[in-house]
Amino acid sequence: MLSNHLHNGIEAPKLAWSRLPNSEDGEPDTVGLVKKSDESSIDSLDYEVIENYAYRKEQAQRGKLYVGYYVMVKWFFALLIGIGTGLAAVFINLSVENFAGWKFALTFAIIQKSYVAGFLVYVLINLVLVFSSVYIVTQFAPAAAGSGIPEIKGYLNGVDMPGILLFRTLIGKIFGSIGSVGGGLALGKEGPLVHTGACIASLLGQGGSSKYHLRSRWLQIFHSDRDRRDLVTCGCAAGVSAAFRAPVGGVLFALEEVTSWWKSQLMWRVFFTSAIVAVVVRTAMGWCKSGKCGHFGSGGFIIWDISDGQEDYSFEEFLPMAVIGVIGGLLGALFNQLTFYIAYWRRNYLHKNGNRVKIIEACLISLITSIISFGLPLLRNCSPCPEANPDSGIECPRPPGMYGNYVNFYCSKDKEYNDLATIFFNTQDDAIRNLFSAKTIHEYSAQSLLTFLVMFYSLAVVTFGTAVPAGQFVPGIMIGSTYGRLVGMFVVKVYKKLNIEEGTYALLGAASFLGGSMRMTVSLCVIMVEITNNLKLLPLIMLVLLISKAVGDAFNEGLYEEQARLRSIPLLESRPKYQMRKMTAKEASGKRVISFPRVVKVADVVSILRSNNHNGFPVIDHARNGETLVIGLMLRSHLLVLLQSKVDFQHSPLPCDPKGSRSIRHTISEFVKPASSKGLSIHDIRLSSDDLEMYIDLALFLNPSPYIVPEDMSLTKVYNLFRQLGLRHIFVVPRPSRVIGLITRKDLLIEENDDSASMELQSTSSSASR
């Protein structure tokens, strides 16, 4: 039966595909695999099912029981990803909060006697934490630098980037985030948590790390890029869910921002993973409420509850809210452009001088950040505490080293507070909570907010792109909530209404800046609602997000798209370029391709693989009447496996009989490239002179049914087909000379029964009239 499958797999293309016309020099015409020589080391992933003989054999041996087992394992892996990501997030937050708590408690204790000594201790602690972060990244895990979201987005888009999902990248991301965020830099841990979740998912999908001897054979179940892509998608959603305690926002983030391919079954598993993360995080926080987690307290996981804030809003407030959206779009677009220019200069000039320069740069930025956050509040005059309100639960001034509003910093009287120190000399999570807080009108002066906005905006621009794990969610919320609160102060002063809360405008400002910078809408809207626990503000958040995104789109692309372009990650966006409407597939395919005969000499295979970097090769055969026919696609990775194993070498240059008794000597897993390495290289294979004189029949290993398009199809349709199906290659062929059948909707509506239960990925076309 398997030989019949193979025979049909080879004969079907011979009947369905037209012959390749010969050019003037007698060589095959362009099929369209390669547009131009690839000068980059970035490769593509194989999301397409390669229906070769090994695949058909394995599918024929599987029954319903195995299919059920396979589905259950996917759900079990989703559970493990949720638990692993949740525990990683708990560990990062516990570490960051304790380091920050110890730092501020020690600094406040010392400045009671000497501000100079307190300043030196504060700078030194920050410097040590940042140095540890940049040292881990530069010496141990270079791929852990940055947020990691552009790289993960590229991976889910079909780009293979070795190194981003390694075990050492995971370790570097976790410990690097602790050092960089705990060291007070103007960055967050939310982006790195997305990368952390993706690394955990990838490592589970491949059974662990072989380099560090952390592998489990019973986890080595998924052998395709398609399955690993689904796991990484679950990891991304788990990272956002853990960072913001927003499980629904995590699902929507994965759908809207990072993944390029989606299905209903995947959504269920992603939602399940996010729910598991929420349970793990909530359990950890409940355990920490007993005081067993040191300084981990109200400043822990992000949740800024403003449910007791502004109850209602009037029509007159829509104008200043729209202004907030415009400001967010402008500042967000400016932030994207500035970070792009600075990162370009770093990448092409500064960082080419070696790791020592990266370490010095990060430490220098840490020193500048510490000087600004400690020094600027010293220049600000203190303000008297407002009258105590027992209902608010806010103490003024707060006890030294404790979390909350109204920080007494360099004040001559006990009942005074420094409004600039309240947001500067604090962890970012607590500073945002202070800016969002309700019932604290006139806590901040316009001068202090404007000073903080300018300085923190500048620090965020300069810090983003250093060789440390860096997220941009929380710094963006900090920037937006600052100018949002400024607008809120203006509205309170002009409208003179008692029900207007400055914290509400701070929330809208945060949403507007993130919308103007990252260009997310649905997922960001849900995340902001989940972390603030105020559903009444949903229409307002939607309004400012739409405005800020529209304004930002008028100037440049989103932050992650800009960073992906800087890193030369070839993303296929959701919409094709306008110029593609006027181009055909033949025009885009460009150069000729290199093809193999069905039975090829080993020496010729080695020569071709060494002379180019192409990853797909058409396989040519000849019909009895001498016609040149394309019978399938052969991947470079599969050829390398055949060359290394040598078991399929043959002395005869004649093809094997597909109906013969020759058995396949390989399984599907042997042809799969590990997710954490570059896989085999032609330079790693050693062949003797006798081996080079032998032959390989490629019919057993090629993909007999790759996707094809006619040469005059518009490039827009080719683009949509390529992206939506997650393809790696498409054949461009002349117009077919005949049609052997037509498939309609009713031919695909096959009812499953005992006879067809084993027929996966195949259907029998009805012979009835269409």
Side-chain angles (χ1 to χ4, degrees):
M1 185 179 73
L2 289 174
S3 62
N4 292 335
H5 279 309
L6 175 62
H7 180 70
N8 294 336
I10 296 177
E11 292 298 325
K14 291 183 178 180
L15 294 173
W17 297 2
S18 63
R19 63 181 183 273
L20 291 175
N22 294 332
S23 58
E24 294 180 358
D25 55 1
E27 296 179 357
D29 197 2
T30 302
V31 180
L33 277 180
V34 182
K35 180 178 179 181
K36 58 184 178 180
S37 60
D38 186 12
E39 299 176 357
S40 173
S41 61
I42 295 179
D43 205 348
S44 297
L45 295 167
D46 292 309
Y47 289 154
E48 180 186 357
V49 176
I50 308 299
E51 295 180 328
N52 55 21
Y53 187 74
Y55 174 82
R56 293 175 185 271
K57 178 182 178 181
E58 188 168 306
Q59 291 296 313
Q61 295 174 347
R62 294 178 176 178
K64 284 187 175 181
L65 184 62
Y66 182 85
V67 174
Y69 166 75
Y70 199 68
V71 172
M72 290 302 297
V73 169
K74 286 186 176 182
W75 284 93
F76 178 66
F77 271 60
L79 172 66
L80 293 181
I81 293 169
I83 295 174
T85 307
L87 293 178
V90 169
F91 176 72
I92 292 174
N93 276 276
L94 279 175
S95 302
V96 168
E97 288 297 313
N98 276 284
F99 277 126
W102 294 330
K103 176 179 65 178
F104 286 115
L106 181 61
T107 303
F108 271 108
I110 294 177
I111 62 177
Q112 305 302 321
K113 301 177 181 178
S114 172
Y115 274 88
V116 175
F119 168 73
L120 294 177
V121 170
Y122 179 74
V123 170
L124 182 61
I125 295 176
N126 284 339
L127 204 57
V128 169
L129 290 172
V130 172
F131 175 80
S132 66
S133 175
V134 69
Y135 186 83
I136 290 172
V137 170
T138 55
Q139 304 299 325
F140 181 68
S147 70
I149 293 180
E151 289 82 0
I152 299 302
K153 187 173 182 177
Y155 179 87
L156 295 176
N157 194 254
V159 182
D160 186 13
M161 303 176 62
I164 64 169
L165 298 175
L166 295 175
F167 177 74
R168 68 170 179 264
T169 303
L170 171 63
I171 299 301
K173 211 73 178 181
I174 292 175
F175 289 95
S177 298
I178 294 172
S180 60
V181 178
L185 294 180
L187 43 82
K189 55 184 177 293
E190 291 68 36
L193 266 175
V194 175
H195 195 175
T196 298
C199 288
I200 292 173
S202 178
L203 290 170
L204 285 173
Q206 66 180 5
S209 173
S210 58
K211 181 177 180 180
Y212 298 98
H213 306 289
L214 298 173
R215 290 184 72 86
S216 176
R217 181 170 298 180
W218 67 276
L219 289 176
Q220 299 175 27
I221 298 172
F222 300 111
H223 301 297
S224 70
D225 290 330
R226 293 167 63 92
D227 292 329
R228 291 172 180 170
R229 171 188 62 186
D230 293 350
L231 293 177
V232 171
T233 303
C234 292
C236 292
V240 175
S241 178
F244 295 102
R245 289 176 59 195
V248 179
V251 175
L252 294 176
F253 175 83
L255 171 62
E256 179 183 7
E257 185 63 23
V258 293
T259 189
S260 302
W261 187 85
W262 198 260
K263 60 180 179 179
S264 58
Q265 297 94 326
L266 178 59
M267 175 175 284
W268 275 102
R269 289 197 297 273
V270 170
F271 185 76
F272 174 70
T273 305
S274 298
I276 294 299
V277 172
V279 172
V280 172
V281 171
R282 188 172 185 86
T283 302
M285 291 197 66
W287 183 70
C288 287
K289 286 182 179 180
S290 60
K292 300 177 181 179
C293 300
H295 287 270
F296 184 85
S298 61
F301 284 92
I302 297 174
I303 184 80
W304 300 298
D305 192 341
I306 59 170
S307 56
D308 58 344
Q310 187 169 333
E311 294 291 337
D312 198 6
Y313 42 87
S314 59
F315 181 78
E316 292 84 356
E317 294 181 67
F318 280 101
L319 178 60
M321 290 174 182
V323 171
I324 288 178
V326 174
I327 296 174
L330 294 175
L331 290 182
L334 178 63
F335 182 88
N336 293 355
Q337 206 63 38
L338 292 177
T339 53
F340 179 84
Y341 288 145
I342 294 177
Y344 178 85
W345 173 75
R346 278 195 180 107
R347 190 179 185 87
N348 293 280
Y349 298 100
L350 183 64
H351 287 178
K352 284 189 174 182
N353 295 320
N355 291 334
R356 181 178 297 180
V357 173
K358 297 179 182 179
I359 295 175
I360 294 175
E361 179 199 24
C363 292
L364 184 62
I365 292 177
S366 172
L367 181 62
I368 294 173
T369 304
S370 300
I371 293 174
I372 291 176
S373 60
F374 193 99
L376 283 182
L378 296 176
L379 305 178
R380 177 67 184 165
N381 294 327
C382 292
S383 304
C385 288
E387 295 183 4
N389 185 1
D391 297 332
S392 66
I394 299 176
E395 183 179 359
C396 180
R398 74 174 191 188
M402 299 297 292
Y403 300 104
N405 299 65
Y406 301 112
V407 176
N408 185 285
F409 185 83
Y410 203 63
C411 298
S412 57
K413 298 180 181 179
D414 292 337
K415 285 297 182 179
E416 290 184 338
Y417 73 98
N418 191 315
D419 60 344
L420 194 55
T422 302
I423 47 179
F424 241 139
F425 201 68
N426 220 330
T427 62
Q428 293 183 24
D429 291 355
D430 289 312
I432 294 172
R433 187 174 288 105
N434 296 342
L435 290 169
F436 281 0
S437 61
K439 309 295 188 291
T440 56
I441 295 179
H442 308 307
E443 178 181 357
Y444 304 99
S445 66
Q447 182 182 2
S448 295
L449 290 177
L450 192 60
T451 301
F452 177 79
L453 174 63
V454 173
M455 299 308 302
F456 193 82
Y457 189 94
S458 303
L459 288 174
V461 168
V462 174
T463 306
F464 191 78
T466 52
V468 295
Q472 203 50 45
F473 276 101
V474 169
I477 294 175
M478 286 277 287
I479 294 169
S481 58
T482 304
Y483 67 74
R485 185 126 187 162
L486 273 170
V487 175
M489 293 173 60
F490 174 79
V491 173
V492 169
K493 185 176 181 180
V494 172
Y495 291 169
K496 295 181 173 60
K497 292 185 177 181
L498 298 178
N499 66 327
I500 297 179
E501 289 285 353
E502 298 173 2
T504 299
Y505 286 83
L507 168 65
L508 298 179
S512 70
F513 185 83
L514 292 178
S517 176
M518 299 179 183
R519 312 294 159 79
M520 295 187 295
T521 51
V522 179
S523 59
L524 186 57
C525 182
V526 174
I527 289 173
M528 296 303 294
V529 171
E530 287 187 283
I531 64 179
T532 56
N533 195 26
N534 195 332
L535 193 60
K536 297 177 182 177
L537 300 180
L538 178 61
L540 304 181
I541 296 175
M542 295 172 64
L543 172 67
V544 297
L545 281 176
L546 291 172
I547 295 175
S548 62
K549 175 175 168 52
V551 172
D553 284 340
F555 293 95
N556 50 32
E557 294 181 299
L559 177 66
Y560 300 135
E561 287 76 15
E562 292 281 354
Q563 294 299 315
R565 181 162 61 93
L566 176 67
R567 291 166 170 79
S568 301
I569 302 174
L571 292 178
L572 293 180
E573 299 297 339
S574 57
R575 295 176 58 187
K577 300 295 183 182
Y578 178 80
Q579 296 86 338
M580 292 184 179
R581 299 181 181 181
K582 303 178 181 179
M583 299 178 63
T584 63
K586 183 178 180 180
E587 294 172 348
S589 60
K591 293 186 177 182
R592 306 179 189 278
V593 298
I594 301 172
S595 60
F596 286 115
R598 172 179 169 175
V599 181
V600 60
K601 196 173 184 179
V602 174
D604 295 336
V605 176
V606 173
S607 176
I608 290 176
L609 294 182
R610 286 180 175 175
S611 61
N612 66 82
N613 295 322
H614 297 177
N615 290 289
F617 303 91
V619 179
I620 308 298
D621 199 3
H622 297 277
R624 291 187 180 92
N625 59 1
E627 284 186 313
T628 300
L629 299 171
V630 181
I631 63 170
L633 169 70
M634 193 69 195
L635 294 179
R636 181 188 190 93
S637 59
H638 291 194
L639 286 170
L640 293 173
V641 172
L642 298 179
L643 292 177
Q644 186 185 49
S645 66
K646 304 180 184 180
V647 297
D648 296 286
F649 291 0
Q650 63 185 41
H651 294 282
S652 172
L654 299 178
C656 300
D657 184 8
K659 296 182 180 180
S661 58
R662 180 181 177 184
S663 61
I664 190 74
R665 300 182 178 93
H666 299 277
T667 61
I668 295 178
S669 59
E670 295 179 49
F671 293 107
V672 176
K673 182 186 76 65
S676 58
S677 70
K678 295 182 179 180
L680 280 175
S681 170
I682 185 62
H683 304 290
D684 301 329
I685 298 174
R686 298 292 179 262
L687 297 171
S688 65
S689 57
D690 293 336
D691 294 333
L692 295 175
E693 296 300 321
M694 300 186 75
Y695 296 86
I696 306 177
D697 187 353
L698 303 179
L700 293 170
F701 313 102
L702 55 79
N703 180 8
S705 54
Y707 289 88
I708 61 172
V709 296
E711 59 183 347
D712 56 350
M713 178 182 283
S714 71
L715 193 57
T716 299
K717 294 180 68 175
V718 176
Y719 184 98
N720 291 329
L721 177 69
F722 197 97
R723 186 182 187 277
Q724 292 173 10
L725 295 179
L727 302 181
R728 189 177 184 182
H729 306 102
I730 290 184
F731 281 1
V732 180
V733 300
R735 275 287 175 183
S737 58
R738 56 179 297 199
V739 178
I740 65 170
L742 186 67
I743 294 179
T744 63
R745 180 182 295 270
K746 67 179 182 180
D747 299 312
L748 302 177
L749 300 176
I750 300 177
E751 295 184 4
E752 186 175 348
N753 52 47
D754 294 338
D755 297 330
S756 62
S758 61
M759 296 179 61
E760 299 182 20
L761 301 177
Q762 300 182 52
S763 63
T764 304
S765 297
S766 173
S767 60
S769 60
R770 269 77 176 170

